[in-house]
Amino acid sequence: MASLNEFLFVSGLLFAIGLAGVILRRNIIVIFMCLELMLAAASLTLVAFSRFHLKDGLPDYNGQVFVFFIITVAAAEVAVGLAIIVALYRARQTINVEDLTSMRG
Protein backbone atom coordinates (compact mmCIF):
# COMPACT_ATOMS: atom_id res chain seq x y z
CA MET A 1 0.00 0.00 0.00
CA ALA A 2 1.27 3.46 -0.86
CA SER A 3 2.07 5.87 1.95
CA LEU A 4 0.84 9.43 2.39
CA ASN A 5 4.27 10.74 1.42
CA GLU A 6 4.11 8.96 -1.93
CA PHE A 7 0.68 10.43 -2.69
CA LEU A 8 1.89 13.90 -1.73
CA PHE A 9 5.01 13.51 -3.86
CA VAL A 10 2.95 12.57 -6.93
CA SER A 11 0.53 15.41 -6.22
CA GLY A 12 3.37 17.90 -5.85
CA LEU A 13 4.96 16.64 -9.06
CA LEU A 14 1.68 17.03 -10.96
CA PHE A 15 1.20 20.52 -9.54
CA ALA A 16 4.77 21.50 -10.48
CA ILE A 17 4.30 20.23 -14.04
CA GLY A 18 1.05 22.18 -14.31
CA LEU A 19 2.61 25.34 -12.91
CA ALA A 20 5.56 25.06 -15.29
CA GLY A 21 3.15 24.63 -18.19
CA VAL A 22 1.17 27.71 -17.20
CA ILE A 23 4.32 29.81 -16.87
CA LEU A 24 6.27 28.55 -19.88
CA ARG A 25 3.71 27.75 -22.55
CA ARG A 26 2.16 30.26 -24.95
CA ASN A 27 -0.71 28.20 -26.36
CA ILE A 28 -3.90 29.05 -24.48
CA ILE A 29 -5.27 25.50 -24.78
CA VAL A 30 -2.09 24.03 -23.25
CA ILE A 31 -2.27 26.62 -20.46
CA PHE A 32 -5.88 25.63 -19.84
CA MET A 33 -4.92 21.94 -19.66
CA CYS A 34 -2.11 22.74 -17.24
CA LEU A 35 -4.56 24.60 -15.00
CA GLU A 36 -6.74 21.50 -14.97
CA LEU A 37 -3.67 19.42 -14.09
CA MET A 38 -3.04 21.69 -11.11
CA LEU A 39 -6.66 21.26 -10.04
CA ALA A 40 -6.30 17.47 -10.29
CA ALA A 41 -3.16 17.64 -8.13
CA ALA A 42 -5.05 19.56 -5.46
CA SER A 43 -7.86 16.99 -5.59
CA LEU A 44 -5.36 14.15 -5.21
CA THR A 45 -3.95 15.86 -2.12
CA LEU A 46 -7.42 16.16 -0.60
CA VAL A 47 -8.20 12.51 -1.25
CA ALA A 48 -4.83 11.41 0.15
CA PHE A 49 -5.29 13.37 3.37
CA SER A 50 -8.86 12.15 3.62
CA ARG A 51 -7.75 8.54 3.19
CA PHE A 52 -4.99 8.69 5.78
CA HIS A 53 -6.86 10.72 8.40
CA LEU A 54 -8.69 8.06 10.39
CA LYS A 55 -11.70 8.55 12.65
CA ASP A 56 -12.67 5.50 14.71
CA GLY A 57 -10.54 3.31 12.45
CA LEU A 58 -12.30 4.48 9.26
CA PRO A 59 -11.12 7.06 6.71
CA ASP A 60 -12.51 10.57 7.08
CA TYR A 61 -14.50 11.07 3.89
CA ASN A 62 -14.90 14.85 4.17
CA GLY A 63 -12.01 15.50 1.78
CA GLN A 64 -13.37 13.03 -0.73
CA VAL A 65 -16.79 14.66 -0.65
CA PHE A 66 -15.12 18.03 -1.17
CA VAL A 67 -13.42 16.61 -4.30
CA PHE A 68 -16.85 15.95 -5.82
CA PHE A 69 -17.60 19.65 -5.51
CA ILE A 70 -14.24 20.48 -7.07
CA ILE A 71 -15.00 18.17 -10.00
CA THR A 72 -18.39 19.87 -10.47
CA VAL A 73 -16.82 23.32 -10.49
CA ALA A 74 -14.09 22.09 -12.85
CA ALA A 75 -16.70 20.81 -15.31
CA ALA A 76 -18.36 24.22 -15.36
CA GLU A 77 -14.96 25.87 -15.69
CA VAL A 78 -14.12 23.70 -18.69
CA ALA A 79 -17.38 24.59 -20.42
CA VAL A 80 -16.95 28.33 -19.88
CA GLY A 81 -13.21 28.28 -20.55
CA LEU A 82 -13.52 26.43 -23.84
CA ALA A 83 -16.32 28.75 -24.92
CA ILE A 84 -14.07 31.75 -24.25
CA ILE A 85 -11.18 30.12 -26.12
CA VAL A 86 -13.40 29.40 -29.14
CA ALA A 87 -14.70 32.98 -29.09
CA LEU A 88 -11.14 34.33 -28.93
CA TYR A 89 -10.08 32.12 -31.81
CA ARG A 90 -13.02 33.22 -33.93
CA ALA A 91 -12.31 36.88 -33.22
CA ARG A 92 -8.50 36.85 -33.51
CA GLN A 93 -7.73 33.68 -35.52
CA THR A 94 -5.01 32.74 -33.00
CA ILE A 95 -4.65 30.91 -29.70
CA ASN A 96 -1.16 32.21 -29.00
CA VAL A 97 -1.15 34.25 -25.77
CA GLU A 98 1.49 36.66 -27.06
CA ASP A 99 -0.78 37.69 -29.93
CA LEU A 100 -3.65 38.57 -27.58
CA THR A 101 -2.59 42.02 -26.42
CA SER A 102 -5.96 43.52 -25.53
CA MET A 103 -9.44 42.36 -24.66
CA ARG A 104 -11.09 44.53 -27.33
CA GLY A 105 -11.43 43.13 -30.83
Side-chain angles (χ1 to χ4, degrees), residues 31-77:
I31 291 171
F32 193 63
M33 289 189 308
C34 289
L35 285 171
E36 293 297 322
L37 188 64
M38 291 168 64
L39 193 61
S43 295
L44 178 61
T45 301
L46 280 172
V47 169
F49 278 124
S50 174
R51 171 66 180 92
F52 286 95
H53 182 256
L54 301 177
K55 281 188 178 178
D56 299 325
L58 296 173
D60 183 13
Y61 293 111
N62 291 336
Q64 294 179 16
V65 170
F66 190 58
V67 168
F68 285 121
F69 290 110
I70 291 174
I71 291 171
T72 303
V73 170
E77 173 197 355

